[in-house]
Amino acid sequence: MSTNFAPDAFDRAVIGVVGGMGPAATGQFLVELAAALPVEYDQDHPRVLVLSDTKVPDRTTCIAAGDPAPGTMVRADLLRAAQLGASVLAVPCNTVHYFIDDFVDELPVPLVHIVDATITAAMQTSPEGAWLTATAGTVNTGLYQRLAAERDYPLKVPSDEEKAAMMEIIGEVKAGRMTRAGELYRALAGRLRGERELPLMTACTELPLAFEASGLDPGIQISSLTALAHATLEAAAGTVGHWPAEQPEPAEVRPSSPA
């Protein structure tokens, strides 16, 4: 990401984040967003609205069942973030983008797509290819494989057994068992890289947390959280949003006097 932003690039920008899928991943995204912008003062960072909707049902389960509920809920959340004043939108969950793709063109402000951001980062970091580590929902719907194929990017896809291992790791992160998640991710990384020594694309936003707990070399990770944070700053620079507390209150309507 370029760090050559104009001094006033984020003066009026408002980033709308719809998260909660899961909560720890959303918190880490905010950390990544701050770390990606090397400035000295709080006031140099963009304003961020966060809607952490932890009630969105499990995306992989809903995809398998044909249940559109995650899309319905996240669409409403994104529209609310835009209504509150966001000038750019971001969702730090990969799998839910399967649903977002159905309505992204209807949103009133731009959405930074996590799949596009991560594939772009991978092409810059490791043009020879990468391993896809993600939820079964993300892998089975081909979210990453389609874009990688469009861009002629070599993406290695895990086996069914490895997908099951990834779902277990993600579950451990969601439950707060980071040590166990790290151990399991390290073992999975050994199997994948033993087959082909390529970087690991952590394309579920829980997986960067498992990667961090694994003790693996950070240089072999392509993090979807990091990629989304950088791309969101690029998209937000120079945009004009509205901070809710600064928007004028609606004028009070007084009853008319009787004639």
Side-chain angles (χ1 to χ4, degrees), residues 107-182:
L107 297 173
V109 295
L111 178 132
V112 183
H113 201 292
I114 196 169
V115 178
D116 174 72
T118 307
I119 291 288
T120 298
M123 293 178 71
Q124 295 169 352
T125 304
S126 178
E128 66 275 14
W131 277 103
L132 176 65
T133 65
T135 66
T138 293
V139 177
N140 292 344
T141 56
L143 273 174
Y144 274 83
Q145 298 95 305
R146 283 193 299 275
L147 186 57
E150 286 175 18
R151 298 188 182 178
D152 199 26
Y153 182 73
L155 190 62
K156 292 282 287 180
V157 179
S159 66
D160 288 344
E161 180 183 352
E162 290 156 350
K163 282 189 286 185
M166 288 186 291
M167 293 303 291
E168 182 181 2
I169 294 165
I170 292 162
E172 293 296 305
V173 173
K174 288 183 180 293
R177 294 187 286 266
M178 294 300 179
T179 300
R180 179 62 176 156

Side-chain angles (χ1 to χ4, degrees), residues 72-131:
T72 302
M73 294 176 71
V74 170
R75 181 180 182 275
D77 290 337
L78 288 166
L79 291 173
R80 180 60 175 154
Q83 181 186 45
L84 286 169
S87 53
V88 167
L89 300 167
V91 182
C93 170
N94 284 269
T95 311
V96 82
H97 282 71
Y98 167 78
F99 300 95
I100 290 173
D101 283 346
D102 287 339
F103 60 79
V104 66
D105 293 337
E106 302 170 15
L107 297 173
V109 295
L111 178 132
V112 183
H113 201 292
I114 196 169
V115 178
D116 174 72
T118 307
I119 291 288
T120 298
M123 293 178 71
Q124 295 169 352
T125 304
S126 178
E128 66 275 14
W131 277 103

